[in-house]
């Protein structure tokens, strides 16, 4: 290959694949299960590549080979007919052996991926059009709390998520940690995984669930166990009371302007259940189920007009004066 | 029996040559005028309409695909709103599967099977006409709804509860479900016709081991249709009932279950993909034999493979449901059964490769498409084997990896053979050749465009891109591959534009094709191009699997059929021994009227259950009209 | 292409009975796919049965008598049905006429009984998934029953007109054949609807 062509190809490939180890990639495993799956995937990939290349080579030789002696279509060579018959049969048997082998590889991988650990940390996740409700459940009820759209887990410890749906079917998928599992109306599914390394892993709803299926993401934040414990203790507490008058005004407006009809903020009078829990919303990394990174600006943009950012989502646009909006944002920001 | 009447009858042995042709043509031709055209029961006329209509739906579905590719070419594009996008991908999938891929294969069968088995018309020609009208009306119903903004938006498999009344309160899901009913009725009708045509109307001497491979493929396909489609009929009916009269099939609070839908859908849906693929393999076998200039190696192996694929395809549906939380061991068994289907598929590929090895290949456009088919389909099949693995599927399910898989198999496995078939049989159907030089451009643009469009989707799926998302953000790192894919899609679309231009040009200016321009071996090439209304002046007698290669001088034929009324020759199932000279129906307007009555019934019933009451009498009346004997000699024999 | 006549089929009949005729195979085809439809409906019933802890859901099982009487009548109807077949094969027009009238009457009685059966299902289609699937299955079978009765009546009428020509007898035998299918389909459905909820 001329050098120029090669450089161009390499360039093209790097340009295209620059982001391959992106934010939610099955090729960039950070968990025990995703690691196993990638391993299985590579075995399949290599065998598939070999089979395809073999077929292409045979096809190529078939095309380039010298022509048959006779040009009468029915004037066939007995030896070739019989030989090729045996060869086809042999290849058929080889295919049987390969697919049985692959089935075995697949099953072995499946066993590892779906292995159960009784001591797993248990979370319950309920899918909603188009956001995630997350329950941390513990033996004592005052250790249990609800949050949304963001899951924090300890590294190195198995996590079990119980999956349910409040409306249509969704699918829980964090490619860097493990494969997906559906959240099905009227059925309880579960999934276990273990994060190997600390980090923020993006997840996204994978089953088409209506208008805003594209914007039903979430973040899984894996923390070292002690840090996770601190977070959990903090998250378990009720919301901060606002420290300044603007914040207080925001808290009142949150009730007065109807937000509290849908949103719960523990420790306040806001107890709505239709939308995500906002008790510690200030600690989250994103707004509106992973649609925007969280900042005062994005929070404001969202509250000012949720239908612009995520058309069709179930939070209506609330009529707010701009000073009211500023107060609400200020309040929500403090909910850390 | 009224022997007396028979004795006075004009028989074909008392006429010959041009006289016989002219007489048969007079009896079998479609009446002139618009009314005549609407009454036609000629399988060639109906088949041609079917083919053109199916291609029109390909064009429509393809345009939708292009709109999606524009929307996805970059991050956060606002070319399409989420609502439009969801309607468009649903319409694209539904149009391609139900209005293009399945019907186009049946359309070719309607045209070709009677010619290939050497008979004068398909079995049940009126049912055939009815089937076409149902297909046309169903397709128009779907598309008109879409243009009125009530196009379905729940995906081509319309999972409940999303498609239930609660979450889709508009008529959109009803439109989808009823479109299914239309196309199923059409498909089931053709399936029965094909089975009976192949069982009973074969030319004398065409024993089971002399049936052309395309006909075998269509026979297996017809059985798949007959056993798979009832499942979706039950599914779509119960969905409509849930939506219209409050039944509770899918309502989990009253004992229903959403997974019931998935089982019913995929019990149909998986065989469905082989309903599309198997006819494609039949086309490949025919084209390959002609252009490799020898019979396909392993004729019995191919037939057994087809039958094996047919059987196995009913045991795989669960591989579409690996992430619904089914018991693990069961899921693992479906992995194995899914992968096993690689064996019969592989055997067919090996037979074709061997044929090519021993052949003297003539590289005309149809053969190019077959070679392209092999390269692409094997990739798609192997990615199928990958997604059949439970652990791998938990990652790639519902991502662009699966989108890549199924476009590789659908387009590689069915559309490429189909394009080859268009180039191959165009001369028979129209009497003119398609341009070979445009054909080469067509092929190369299609091959390159296709791979550029769809290969990147494998990678996109692995790096996390879910399917059915109307947009994505720049930081996901998907935009370059998506842009590349969109560029490829446009190249691919250009290749279709070339095909269309080639067709339009060649219809008027193409070189005249003789009876047998490719020097092929099967019976459709034994008559003129295009064939006369009665297909053959005399029914051929088959003594060899490749009759035109074996008897290249003169065709053995039978005599003794009526020359004054429509008559076909029925033969025995296995040995194809002549048994009966059966009358074949005359043109009739009733199939159209029945189709109209049925359409009114179907569309009415998505608005009110009372349609069942007022919609039935017109259907009953038109059906009686259809079957009521006209008193002509055909009917009264 | 040049042609050589190697056979003459002038002596063959112009219609046949059973597997020799085209329509018979058509009827076979439709029965196969309709049978598949019944099988799928049964599968649906059993699926719902399996996923629900109680069955029937919120209802008592259907009253036994309508289904049972129907089953008995169906089985008995095979006798006149087979007789119809025999006289049609013999092309015995007067007897065929009588038989078709008898078969039409039996069909109408069965349709009336079917009405009672719906009334005695003890559940509505919108009560629960159980009610839905029971109504679906019974409805499906009733459609078959009704179309076959309609077909029989039309044939009976034809046989009293000048259209009573030989090939009509072949149509009669196909109709007989189809009736057997309707009967045969009822037996498993009867067991499913009336007895499975009592298990
Ligand atoms: C023409 C259509 C067609 C064909 C032929 C196939 C063929 C196959 N398909 Fe595919 N499939 C679809 C159309 C098709 N599929 C569609 C439309 C969907 C998606 C529906 C949706 O969700 O919208 C789908 C989805 C789909 C899934 C579900 C994925 C998911 O949703 O997560 C699976 C999983 O098992 C699967 C598997 C297979 C397998 C194992 C084959 C096999 O038949 C392939 C066999 C062929 C080969 C393997 C190549 C030739 C063989 C050799 C050269 C021999 C050597 C081979 C080996 C040693 C392995 N398919
Ligand atoms: C046979 C079936 C078939 C075919 C041919 C195609 C063809 C194409 N498909 Fe499609 N596709 C599906 C079946 C098919 N697809 C299905 C089942 C789905 C799933 C839907 C769902 O999720 O519900 C899907 C989904 C799907 C998606 C995913 C959408 C999503 O998940 O969000 C995308 C995205 O790029 C896509 C792209 C394309 C493209 C670019 C083509 C191109 O190949 C199209 C090129 C064709 C043309 C541009 C038409 C040109 C035609 C002519 C000029 C006519 C010539 C006329 C004569 C000769 C008379 N398809
Ligand atoms: Cu939730 Cu897609
Ligand atoms: Cu499948």
């Amino acid at each position: 290959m001329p050098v120029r062509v090669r450089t161009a190809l390499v360039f093209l490939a790097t340009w295209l694949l620059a982001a391959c180890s992106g934010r939610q990639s099955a090729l960039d495993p950070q968990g025990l299960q995703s690691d196993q799956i990638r391993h299985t995937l590579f075995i399949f990939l290599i065998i598939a590549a070999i089979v395809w290349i073999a077929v292409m080579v045979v096809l190529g030789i078939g095309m380039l080979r010298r022509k048959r002696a006779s040009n009468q279509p029915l004037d066939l060579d007995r030896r070739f007919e019989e030989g090729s018959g045996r060869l086809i049969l042999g290849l058929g048997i080889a295919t049987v052996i390969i697919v049985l082998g692959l089935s075995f590889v697949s099953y072995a991988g499946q066993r590892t991926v779906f292995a159960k650990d009784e001591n797993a940390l248990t979370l319950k996740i309920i899918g909603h059009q188009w956001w995630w409700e997350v329950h941390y459940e513990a033996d004592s009820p005052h250790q249990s709390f609800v949050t949304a759209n963001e899951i924090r887990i300890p590294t190195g410890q198995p996590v079990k998520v119980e999956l349910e749906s409040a409306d249509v079917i969704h699918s829980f998928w964090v490619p860097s940690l493990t494969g997906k599992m559906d959240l099905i109306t009227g059925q309880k599914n579960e999934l276990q995984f273990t994060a190997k390394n600390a980090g923020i892993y993006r997840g996204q709803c994978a089953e088409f669930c209506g208008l805003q299926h594209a914007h039903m993401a979430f973040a899984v934040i894996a923390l070292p166990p002690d840090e996770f414990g601190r977070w959990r203790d903090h998250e378990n507490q009720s919301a901060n009371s606002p420290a300044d008058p603007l914040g207080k005004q925001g808290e009142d407006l949150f009730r007065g302007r109807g937000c509290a009809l849908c949103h719960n903020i523990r420790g306040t009078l806001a107890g709505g259940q239709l939308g995500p829990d906002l008790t510690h919303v200030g600690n989250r990394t994103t707004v509106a189920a992973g649609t925007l990174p969280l900042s005062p600006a994005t929070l404001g943009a969202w509250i000012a007009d949720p239908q612009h950012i995520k058309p069709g989502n179930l939070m209506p646009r609330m009529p707010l004066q701009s000073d009211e909006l500023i107060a609400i944002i200020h309040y929500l920001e403090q909910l850390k | 029996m009224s022997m007396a009447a028979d004795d006075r009858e004009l028989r074909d042995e008392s006429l010959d040559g041009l006289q016989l042709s002219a007489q048969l043509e007079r009896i079998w031709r479609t009446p002139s005028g618009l009314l005549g055209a609407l009454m036609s029961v000629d399988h060639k006329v109906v088949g041609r309409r079917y083919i053109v209509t199916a291609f029109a739906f390909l064009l429509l579905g393809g345009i939708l695909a292009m709109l999606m590719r524009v929307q996805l070419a970059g991050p956060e594009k606002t070319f399409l709103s989420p609502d439009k996008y969801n309607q468009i991908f649903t319409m694209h999938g539904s149009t391609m599967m139900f209005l293009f891929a399945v019907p186009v294969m049946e359309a070719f069968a309607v045209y070709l099977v009677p010619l290939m088995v050497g008979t004068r018309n398909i079995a049940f020609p009126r049912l055939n006409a009815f089937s076409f009208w149902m297909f046309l009306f169903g397709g128009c119903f779907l598309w008109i709804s879409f243009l009125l903004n009530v196009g379905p938006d729940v995906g081509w498999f319309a999972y409940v509860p999303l498609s239930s009344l609660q979450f889709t309160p508009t008529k959109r899901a009803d439109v989808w479900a009823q479109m299914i009913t239309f196309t199923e009725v059409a498909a089931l009708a053709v399936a029965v016709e094909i089975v009976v045509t192949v069982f009973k109307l074969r030319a004398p001497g065409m024993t089971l081991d002399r049936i052309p491979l395309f006909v075998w493929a269509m026979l297996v396909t017809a059985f798949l249709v007959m056993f798979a489609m009832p499942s979706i009929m039950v599914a779509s009916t119960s969905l409509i009932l849930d939506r219209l009269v409050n039944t509770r099939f899918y309502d989990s609070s009253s004992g229903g279950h959403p997974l019931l839908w998935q089982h019913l859908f995929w019990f149909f849906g998986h065989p469905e993909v082989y309903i599309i693929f198997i006819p494609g393999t039949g086309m490949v076998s025919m084209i390959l034999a002609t252009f490799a200039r020898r019979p396909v190696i392993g004729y019995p192996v191919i037939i057994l493979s087809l039958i094996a694929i047919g059987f196995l395809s009913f045991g795989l549906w669960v591989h579409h449901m690996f992430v619904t939380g089914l018991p693990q061991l069961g899921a693992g068994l479906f992995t194995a059964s899914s992968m096993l289907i690689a064996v019969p598929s592989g055997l067919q590929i090996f037979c074709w490769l061997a044929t090519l090895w021993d052949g003297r290949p003539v590289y005309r456009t149809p053969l190019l498409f077959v070679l392209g088919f092999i390269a692409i389909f094997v990739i798609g099949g192997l990615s199928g084997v990958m997604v059949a693995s439970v652990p791998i599927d938990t990652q790639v399910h519902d991502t662009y990896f699966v989108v890549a898989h199924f476009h590789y198999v659908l387009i590689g496995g069915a559309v490429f053979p189909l394009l080859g078939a268009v180039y191959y049989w165009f001369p028979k159907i129209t009497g003119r050749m398609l341009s070979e030089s445009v054909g080469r451009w067509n092929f190369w643009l299609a091959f390159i465009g296709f791979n550029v469009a769809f290969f990147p989707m494998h990678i996109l799926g692995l790096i996390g891109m879910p399917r059915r998302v109307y947009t994505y953000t720049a930081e996901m790192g998907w935009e370059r591959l998506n842009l590349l894919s969109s560029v490829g899609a446009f190249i691919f679309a250009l290749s279709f534009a070339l095909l269309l231009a080639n067709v339009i040009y060649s219809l008027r200016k193409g070189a005249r094709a003789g009876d047998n321009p490719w020097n092929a071996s099967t019976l459709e090439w034994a008559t003129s191009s295009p064939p006369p209304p009665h297909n053959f002046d005399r029914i051929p007698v088959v003594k060899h699997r490749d009759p035109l290669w074996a008897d290249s001088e003169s065709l053995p034929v039978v005599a003794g059929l009526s020359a004054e009324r429509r008559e076909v020759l029925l033969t025995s199932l296995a040995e194809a021994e002549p048994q009966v000279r059966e009358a074949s129906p005359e043109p009739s307007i009733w199939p159209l009227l029945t189709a109209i009555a049925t359409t009114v019934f179907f569309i009415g019933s998505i608005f009110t259950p009372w349609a069942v009451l007022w919609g039935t009498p017109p259907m009953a009346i038109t059906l009686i009209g259809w079957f009521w004997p006209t008193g002509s000699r055909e009917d009264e024999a | 292409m040049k042609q050589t006549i190697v056979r003459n089929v002038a002596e063959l009949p112009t219609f046949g009975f059973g597997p020799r005729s085209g329509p018979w195979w058509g009827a076979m085809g439709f029965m196969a796919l309709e049978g598949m439809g019944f099988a799928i409906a049964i599968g649906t019933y059993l699926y719902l049965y399996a996923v629900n802890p109680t069955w029937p859901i919120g209802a008592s099982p259907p009253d036994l008598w309508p289904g049972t009487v129907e089953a008995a009548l169906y089985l008995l109807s095979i006798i006149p049905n087979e007789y119809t077949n025999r006289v049609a094969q013999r092309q015995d027009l007067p007897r065929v006429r009588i038989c078709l009238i008898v078969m039409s009457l039996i069909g109408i009685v069965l349709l009336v009984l079917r009405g009672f059966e719906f009334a005695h299902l003890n559940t509505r289609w919108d009560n629960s998934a159980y009610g839905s699937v029971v109504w679906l299955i019974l409805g499906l079978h009733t459609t078959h029953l009704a179309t076959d009765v309609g077909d029989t009546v039309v044939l009976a009428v034809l046989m009293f007109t000048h259209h009573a020509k030989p090939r009509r007898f072949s149509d009669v035998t196909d109709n007989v054949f189809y009736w057997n299918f309707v009967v045969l389909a009822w037996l498993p459905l009867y067991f499913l609807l009336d007895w499975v909820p009592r298990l």
Side-chain angles (χ1 to χ4, degrees), chain A residues 15 20 24 26 52 58 65 68 73 80-81 106-107 110 173 175 180 182 185 187 206-207 212-213 215, chain B residues 161 257 259 294-295 323-324 328-329 357-358 360 363 375 379 389 394-395 397-398 462-464 468 470 480:
Chain A
W15 182 76
C20 252
Q24 64 181 38
W52 186 74
V58 174
R65 211 171 155 262
R68 210 154 71 87
F80 187 89
E81 300 295 300
S106 168
Y107 194 64
Q110 188 185 350
W173 184 38
K180 58 185 72 64
D182 287 353
T185 326
Q187 176 173 318
E207 180 63 63
Q212 280 298 342
H213 160 66
H215 287 132
Chain B
H257 205 299
L259 287 188
R294 57 151 294 150
V323 301
T324 57
Q328 287 304 323
L329 182 63
W357 264 56
D358 188 53
R360 301 166 64 93
Y363 293 103
I379 295 183
S389 155
T394 63
Q395 283 287 20
H397 173 70
D398 269 336
L462 290 174
I463 62 173
R468 300 172 160 183
Y470 72 95
R480 289 171 180 177

Side-chain angles (χ1 to χ4, degrees), chain C residues 73 98-111 149 152-153:
Chain C
L73 196 54
I98 297 171
C99 281
L100 284 174
I101 291 175
V102 170
M103 288 310 293
S104 305
L105 290 177
I106 293 180
I108 290 166
V109 170
L110 277 164
L111 274 173
V149 173
T152 315
V153 171

